[in-house]
Amino acid sequence: GGGSGRPRSQRAAMFLFQLDESQSKAFLRDQKKAEVGKAQQKQVEERKAKERQVQAIQQQVSAETDAPIGHAAWERVKFQEHPQGHLWFFKRGFHFQVTVGMACNLEEEAGRICRLCFLKAEEGMSKEELVEYRNELLRALAATQSRLRAEGVEVGGTSRRGAAERKRKRNDGAIGETWASQLGTKYSRDKSILDPLGD
């Protein structure tokens, strides 16, 4: 038993030692190359991710993240000024809307999210399901905005300026871009006019 086992274990140890000795240098060399390559790749990926994030906010919304051009959603989803916060809405057996305040005070983003909800309503999604879908889109938007701010990127500049200019033309006293947009969601919980973010 023990006598025959020792040579086997010694032979196994020698084999492993030789294997390790013959391959360790190559392995360590490959490992270092891999680590350097991963670090460089990570930098490239982080830079590309930052560029994508900036483009997502500052460039036009692509067809994949909005209703197709020419779709009925572009006509049926309408913008409405409101003393407690401007909003986008549609009616399809029920009233559904997205306030600008919910969408990080970005008027274009609120409109985009409302159009996406209209598409889901056309597919037969219930109002309760639409509320959850809308909230997921709003959470994703808020997360993107937070990441961009953390990166030191000025977020939503184009959208904010464009929306503010349109509001000034429509109504010099419009306050939808400020505290009133946030007030809208609180107001709506009492008046049941809007779908509050938390419902």
Side-chain angles (χ1 to χ4, degrees), residues 28 30 33 41 82 167 182 194 198:
L28 290 173
D30 291 343
K33 284 182 182 178
Q41 185 178 2
H82 194 283
K167 284 179 176 57
Q182 299 298 334
L194 309 182

Side-chain angles (χ1 to χ4, degrees), residues 1-10:
S4 61
R6 187 172 297 132
R8 277 203 302 272
S9 64
Q10 287 175 348

Side-chain angles (χ1 to χ4, degrees), residues 53 101 108:
Q53 289 172 344
E108 286 82 357

Side-chain angles (χ1 to χ4, degrees), residues 75-94:
E75 292 294 326
R76 297 283 299 279
V77 175
K78 300 183 183 299
F79 180 81
Q80 179 180 346
E81 292 183 347
H82 194 283
Q84 276 76 35
H86 302 327
L87 54 96
W88 292 84
F89 75 97
F90 64 83
K91 293 181 179 179
R92 188 179 172 83
F94 51 82

Side-chain angles (χ1 to χ4, degrees), residues 57-58 106 108 145 148 153-162:
I57 300 301
Q58 295 180 339
L106 296 174
E108 286 82 357
Q145 295 286 309
L148 288 174
V153 177
E154 183 182 353
V155 295
T158 303
S159 295
R160 288 175 192 270
R161 283 195 296 272

Side-chain angles (χ1 to χ4, degrees), residues 186-194:
K186 296 176 185 176
Y187 177 84
S188 66
R189 289 193 182 100
D190 298 330
K191 302 297 183 182
S192 301
I193 293 173
L194 309 182

Side-chain angles (χ1 to χ4, degrees), residues 26-195:
F27 174 76
L28 290 173
R29 191 165 55 246
D30 291 343
Q31 194 175 37
K32 285 180 182 178
K33 284 182 182 178
E35 287 173 358
V36 172
K38 284 179 182 177
Q40 291 173 341
Q41 185 178 2
K42 186 179 179 182
Q43 289 177 350
V44 171
E45 287 175 354
E46 286 176 351
R47 188 168 63 249
K48 286 182 178 179
K50 187 187 294 186
E51 289 171 358
R52 284 196 297 270
Q53 289 172 344
V54 173
Q55 289 169 358
I57 300 301
Q58 295 180 339
Q59 291 186 349
Q60 271 192 326
V61 178
S62 68
E64 290 76 24
T65 56
D66 205 334
I69 300 300
H71 191 278
W74 290 88
E75 292 294 326
R76 297 283 299 279
V77 175
K78 300 183 183 299
F79 180 81
Q80 179 180 346
E81 292 183 347
H82 194 283
Q84 276 76 35
H86 302 327
L87 54 96
W88 292 84
F89 75 97
F90 64 83
K91 293 181 179 179
R92 188 179 172 83
F94 51 82
H95 183 84
F96 192 87
Q97 57 198 29
V98 180
T99 67
V100 174
M102 286 177 176
C104 303
N105 288 326
L106 296 174
E107 183 181 310
E108 286 82 357
E109 289 298 305
R112 177 181 70 85
I113 289 171
C114 199
R115 285 188 294 273
L116 289 173
C117 289
F118 181 86
L119 294 182
K120 293 296 185 182
E122 276 198 330
E123 294 174 8
M125 190 176 277
S126 70
K127 185 173 182 178
E128 291 73 23
E129 291 170 327
L130 281 175
V131 167
E132 183 54 37
Y133 175 65
R134 177 198 65 191
N135 292 349
E136 287 177 11
L137 294 173
L138 290 169
R139 282 191 288 268
L141 173 63
T144 300
Q145 295 286 309
S146 296
R147 284 197 303 270
L148 288 174
R149 278 194 294 271
E151 296 284 353
V153 177
E154 183 182 353
V155 295
T158 303
S159 295
R160 288 175 192 270
R161 283 195 296 272
E165 285 171 5
R166 284 196 296 280
K167 284 179 176 57
R168 279 196 295 274
K169 289 176 183 176
R170 286 197 297 259
N171 180 1
D172 290 339
I175 51 178
E177 292 282 342
T178 59
W179 58 269
S181 293
Q182 299 298 334
L183 178 63
T185 55
K186 296 176 185 176
Y187 177 84
S188 66
R189 289 193 182 100
D190 298 330
K191 302 297 183 182
S192 301
I193 293 173
L194 309 182
D195 295 311

